[in-house]
Amino acid sequence: MNPNPIDPLAIQCKRYFDVCNGDADGLCAVLQWRLATPAPAELITGLKRQIDLLGRVHACSGDEVLVCDLSMQRNRPALMRLLQSGVRVKYFDHHDVHDVPRHPGLLAHIDGSPSICTSLLVDRYLAGRFRAWAVVGAYGDNLHAVADEAASTLNLSAAQRESLRQLGESINYNAYGDDESDVYIAPSKLYALMAPYSTPLFFLEHEGIAHRINTMRRADLALAQTSAVLFECTQGHARLLYDAPWSRRVMGTFANALAAAEPLLAHAVLRQHATGDFVVSVRAPLVRGSGASTLCTRFGGSGRAGAAGIDHLPQHKLGQFLDAFATAQWGLA
């Protein structure tokens, strides 16, 4: 007699949760995993600055949680609670973390290198099975050279590669906003439209939403290009956007566009609330690729080496931030 019989009810009741950032990298990472490992998973996602998502997971012993593109540093208490409850967690991420906990229930693939994103980490784990979606995620994370290299293995035409780039940038743009009323479509609903398609080219062929998001993105970028230069130095530039739905949507995309246009310089995009305080997006010089998270962490922000942000910069600390930006050690983690 088997001393440890398998309980059929326990198998039947096992639940799956997918938790990710609602940008291109997060959604494309989860999509690759679910194409490779289908399961009736509950998706928990949000807008770009909604980082503390793991706390929304109410899982029990035996359940499985997939986490993609969320700072482990910010989600560590919730992660430890889940692990201690007997939940098994797979964690793929490229944000800076001080130390990764060791636990038999945790499978962690964390790489903070400037030239990696979460979609590419999942692609590496899956040996390239759904690489086109990883390419979309990399383009969305402004890793154009890395995305081009990955795309070169897929025998794509120049037009197809350009379509994947625009798709990645559009999905990424759609994740920015203070709440879901700012964006074209909630990231969870966008994922539901993406999920049936094994390749992004099929998605683009059958769904018109990507074109509609891209049209709005281009219009918002045109408005952002008229914004004032708040500060400039030999290290880079800071631009100021006034608070409006379009600026809440476009500030991350605008920061990426500035970085691509002037890769030798660092860039900061600030948006000022009616209170006078600021939200900030920072991009390290593309040619050096690091230093953004170090800078933003000093002011209560977070992120990764090449791109980071500050959710709340008090008005009285603006001068300190600009001084720190001007003297930052770009190229150092």
Side-chain angles (χ1 to χ4, degrees), residues 133 136 159-160 162-168 197 199-211:
W133 279 115
V136 171
Q160 288 173 324
E162 175 62 15
S163 293
L164 297 189
R165 182 188 66 80
Q166 291 192 28
L167 176 59
Y197 297 98
T199 79
L201 294 175
F202 289 164
F203 170 71
L204 288 168
E205 181 180 348
H206 295 285
E207 304 287 348
I209 191 166
H211 173 73

Side-chain angles (χ1 to χ4, degrees), residues 22 27 166-176 183-187 189-191 193-194 203-204 207-221 249-250 253:
L27 295 183
Q166 291 192 28
L167 176 59
E169 293 177 355
S170 296
I171 296 173
N172 208 63
Y173 154 84
N174 185 72
Y176 281 88
V183 301
Y184 188 88
I185 182 173
K189 294 180 180 178
L190 179 57
Y191 177 85
L193 295 175
M194 296 161 56
F203 170 71
L204 288 168
E207 304 287 348
I209 191 166
H211 173 73
R212 296 192 292 274
I213 295 173
N214 193 40
T215 298
M216 190 165 76
R217 178 179 72 92
R218 290 180 178 277
D220 287 350
L221 271 174
R249 289 191 299 265
V250 84
T253 300

Side-chain angles (χ1 to χ4, degrees), residues 287-302:
V287 296
R288 284 179 272 179
S290 61
S293 61
T294 300
L295 171 63
C296 290
T297 299
R298 293 175 56 184
F299 295 90
S302 63

